Amino acid sequence: MTNPALIEELKTLVEPGKVLTDADSLNAFGKDWTKHYAPAPSAIVFPKSIEQVQAIVRWANQHKVALVPSGGRTGLSAGAVAANGEVVVSFDYMNQILAFNEYDRTAVCQPGVVTQQLQQFAEDKGLYYPVDFASAGSSQIGGNIGTNAGGIKVIRYGMTRNWVAGLKVVTGTGELLELNKDLIKNATGYDMRQLFIGAEGTLGFVVEATMRLDRAPKNLTAMVLGTPDFDSIMPVLHAFQNKLDLTAFEFFSDKALAKIMARGDVPAAFETDCPFYALLEFEATTEEVAEAALATFEHCVEQGWVLDGVMSQSEQQLQNLWKLREYISETISHWTPYKNDISVTVSQVPAFLKDIDAIVEANYPDFEVVWFGHIGDGNLHLNILKPEALSKDEFFAKCAIVNQWVFETVQKYNGSISAEHGVGMTKRDYLHYSRSEAEIAYMKAIKQVFDPNGIMNPGKIFA
Amino acid sequence: MTNPALIEELKTLVEPGKVLTDADSLNAFGKDWTKHYAPAPSAIVFPKSIEQVQAIVRWANQHKVALVPSGGRTGLSAGAVAANGEVVVSFDYMNQILAFNEYDRTAVCQPGVVTQQLQQFAEDKGLYYPVDFASAGSSQIGGNIGTNAGGIKVIRYGMTRNWVAGLKVVTGTGELLELNKDLIKNATGYDMRQLFIGAEGTLGFVVEATMRLDRAPKNLTAMVLGTPDFDSIMPVLHAFQNKLDLTAFEFFSDKALAKIMARGDVPAAFETDCPFYALLEFEATTEEVAEAALATFEHCVEQGWVLDGVMSQSEQQLQNLWKLREYISETISHWTPYKNDISVTVSQVPAFLKDIDAIVEANYPDFEVVWFGHIGDGNLHLNILKPEALSKDEFFAKCAIVNQWVFETVQKYNGSISAEHGVGMTKRDYLHYSRSEAEIAYMKAIKQVFDPNGIMNPGKIFA
């Protein structure tokens, strides 16, 4: 724990009342959605300006105090957990959109701006912020940048990385860098902005970000298609991608759908039972586009790749179809699932998925495996539900073994052990399955450059 | 110069005849398109495999020999010039497309693959490689990645960076890194792939790149619009961007057009003389899109932003309209132009351009300023033609002063002194106009991490 005298000094760097040390605050701000680690920060500090962030980092640097950046605390890899007496730097009071430029289509955001706040802001301006995911209502832009957040529209719009025009960061020595200055074209040496995106706060803290906005999508239309097997999903993706600019291509298994249907509050897409379902979305900008989508659907049925399907005819139906996919995570949380967020190249998804299924089936035939994810970008969410008969402890002990198999299979397929949730503490010890020894050594050397005293979110990504 | 005994040792690392030291080769491979620096390499080596590149770098590391990577040598910033006895590593014999995956839409390229070769390859597969620029016929993928090449379709497709799915690089110690493994989503720590993109070979050499391809554009259609002044171009851009997904938005001045018309081999777009012209392009996927384009054109005329215009009705007319823009650089080369490649945010282009015009006009009223560029992404190409009466030496002496003014103005507008050509040697001494002291210090520290002996393209980006 940090020396109480130092905490008193910290209080002088921010506004009165902006350092909290009460048990409730320490508990609330010390954790994220993972809940694997007991929160144990020394204090929570709330800066209100870039200068205050710099002062905090300089203070931490001087006294070798570890800092943990804190956004919406919706992380799923314990990247923003403070379990070792760190001081948490919360950006809750740096939550304003400072500027908007309609010609550049940019919004200058403080790090604590909530994702949905930026989405709404864009909508009010007739524009669109396209990075979207389940926790958009509480996740913050600074955290999104720290983990290079992805979500459900990546196939069309890419990750958060694509939308960061410029970045102000405070490095581990308290220096302020203004990276890229919001330019589209800038060939003046290393693009260090890119290093800080996805660095989980281990190189420095994002203190301001200029985010790009896009034109608003027109008449978004979704299709849900049932397929006779997983292999059929790939030619369906291929056929639609050749004809339409897809904004999403998601999938889920019959087991996932069954859980959604059991809720009773989501209408079924159609009657036919299928082992797998694809949900795709596109802009039906004209009659011709909708016709092309239907023609492709018919082609897929003729080829035997699709058994049944439906296309949304209204905004309401669009929302209902999306619920089939978006409610999965929340719905299955009831079964205390083992979760893993992994990716391989799109073309390897079917073989990879079969390998994992076979391993789990052979070893734990009583485990119920629920697959869903962003198949258009190779990102699979593997979920295994706890059998009623097993205790939590027994289940998680068995899952630790499953973990090993999953990561070995990921490595075999040259995939990623963390597609979009980040490494944090949860996957730190498995990093070598996706990154070579040499890569990890270079990453550590880069951290040394920006954070020589190792005070910026230590213990995350690597030990 | 490198010790001849070392060159003999170098010869043992590659195939027979793959080290050249004759004067013609040294001259040809020691320079790029800038021609400001006299080429003076010690030798040219042509590896044929990744292992050979590693052996060359290890050899150079051991003997502290400076290496310069060489692609199509079309650079405009002396980034691949060997003027100080370096050994040039040419990738001319590593020029194959090694693999293609239709589901992932990726092509695995050796660094010496020519841009046009990849474009043609994509076309043969019914796909599209969208990074395009005047030197596509000889520039190589490795060089494109080294400079993060941009070009004429950035407004829609982004820079080369966006199309690099995975990268194999050999660092300054000869280590091979396989970065990102072609994944779309990969949140496993620092994305070092991004560091090597745009690093101009100063951190390591690209030895293989998996490039993404896109669906082929449909019915590309261009408009050329004449405007009464430069300020009108911005609302025109804004109006079209709100209605269409533009694939390009270029501009050129009447002075640029006059030079093209004087060639006699390009048909005029229309009769009306205008001080500025915009060339925009979009996919006329349906009748409705073409109608929306025409309606927007009419709206712009009504607003007084556009005086005259034309829309291409055929592939031939599309090509002819593009010639008005694409032939400018080659055509004005006759006047020994001073050239500068700069950028600001899109919204600041009009004010920036006026500032520069005023400075040049006030100080050198006899200078003819020719503006053109990629205005949709804020990238302006400033060209000043040499007055007949001035000698080359006098002209370039005056241009050195102009340079200073231009960079000071760039700095005032928070712009970039190199939008897409890179820093190389040409802009090395001006880097501080776009990057802070702290940024430059961090960049040097990053170079130290990957190239501890400073053998990888030394003297480029910074001294």
Side-chain angles (χ1 to χ4, degrees), chain B residues 230 251 276 348-358 371 380:
Chain B
F230 187 81
F251 91 109
F276 287 97
Q348 298 205 92
V349 168
F352 173 80
L353 189 139
K354 254 180 242 172
D355 269 17
I356 298 283
D357 269 348
W371 286 103
L380 304 168

Side-chain angles (χ1 to χ4, degrees), chain A residues 185, chain B residues 151-156 223-225 227 230 232-241 244-252 277-282 296 300 305-306 322 325 346 349 372-380:
Chain A
K185 282 185 174 176
Chain B
I152 54 179
K153 303 284 172 108
V154 169
I155 187 176
R156 164 71 170 271
M223 272 185 168
V224 170
L225 308 172
T227 69
F230 187 81
S232 297
I233 289 184
M234 299 310 290
V236 172
L237 170 62
H238 199 51
F240 276 94
Q241 254 180 336
L244 302 172
D245 291 334
L246 298 175
T247 52
F249 194 95
E250 304 280 308
F251 91 109
F252 46 90
Y277 300 86
L279 185 157
L280 61 89
E281 192 192 61
F282 57 95
T296 308
C300 291
W305 303 328
V306 165
W322 266 110
R325 165 65 187 83
V346 175
V349 168
F372 63 94
H374 319 289
I375 202 169
D377 54 43
N379 179 190
L380 304 168

Side-chain angles (χ1 to χ4, degrees), chain A residues 438-458:
Chain A
E439 278 185 89
I440 294 170
Y442 278 120
M443 286 202 277
K444 287 182 176 174
I446 290 171
K447 177 163 170 80
Q448 185 67 26
V449 165
F450 290 96
D451 178 27
N453 283 317
I455 58 161
M456 304 303 264
N457 212 9

Side-chain angles (χ1 to χ4, degrees), chain A residues 101-105 147 150-151 154 156 159 161 171 173 175 177-192 194-195 198-200 202-203 215 218 234-235 238 241-245 285-288 343-348 374 376-377 379 414-423 431 433-436 438-439 442-447 449-450 461-462, chain B residues 101-105 147 150-151 154 156 159 161 171 173 175 177-192 194-195 198-200 202-203 215 218 234-235 238 241-245 285-288 343-348 374 376-377 379 414-423 431 433-436 438-439 442-447 449-450 461-462:
Chain A
N101 188 302
E102 67 171 325
Y103 287 100
D104 296 327
R105 287 178 169 171
T147 55
V154 168
R156 163 72 168 272
M159 313 288 283
R161 184 182 300 285
T171 69
T173 58
E175 255 168 326
L177 301 182
E178 300 186 27
L179 300 172
N180 199 54
K181 298 171 180 168
D182 312 346
L183 300 165
I184 297 176
K185 282 185 174 176
N186 183 14
T188 55
Y190 316 150
D191 190 350
M192 294 190 292
Q194 308 290 348
L195 266 186
E200 304 184 26
T202 61
L203 301 177
R215 72 157 174 77
K218 296 165 193 158
M234 298 310 288
H238 198 51
Q241 255 181 334
N242 286 340
K243 295 294 175 189
L244 301 172
D245 291 334
T285 45
T286 68
E287 204 53 46
E288 289 170 48
S343 73
V344 293
T345 57
V346 175
S347 60
Q348 297 204 95
H374 320 289
D377 54 42
N379 180 188
N414 255 328
S416 175
I417 59 152
S418 178
E420 59 178 1
H421 295 167
V423 178
L431 189 59
Y433 284 104
S434 279
R435 307 290 296 253
S436 69
E439 278 185 89
Y442 278 120
M443 286 202 277
K444 287 182 176 174
I446 290 171
K447 177 163 170 80
V449 165
F450 290 96
I461 302 183
F462 23 67
Chain B
N101 188 304
E102 67 171 324
Y103 287 100
D104 296 326
R105 287 179 170 172
T147 56
V154 169
R156 164 71 170 271
M159 312 289 283
R161 185 182 301 282
T171 70
T173 57
E175 253 167 329
L177 302 182
E178 300 186 28
L179 300 172
N180 198 53
K181 299 173 181 166
D182 313 346
L183 299 165
I184 297 176
K185 283 186 175 175
N186 183 14
T188 54
Y190 314 151
D191 190 351
M192 296 190 291
Q194 308 289 350
L195 265 187
E200 304 186 27
T202 61
L203 301 178
R215 73 156 174 77
K218 294 165 195 159
M234 299 310 290
H238 199 51
Q241 254 180 336
N242 285 340
K243 294 294 175 189
L244 302 172
D245 291 334
T285 44
T286 66
E287 203 55 44
E288 289 170 51
S343 71
V344 293
T345 57
V346 175
S347 60
Q348 298 205 92
H374 319 289
D377 54 43
N379 179 190
N414 255 330
S416 174
I417 59 152
S418 179
E420 58 177 2
H421 295 167
V423 179
L431 188 60
Y433 285 103
S434 280
R435 307 290 295 255
S436 70
E439 277 185 89
Y442 279 120
M443 285 203 277
K444 287 182 177 173
I446 289 171
K447 177 165 170 79
V449 165
F450 290 97
I461 302 182
F462 24 66

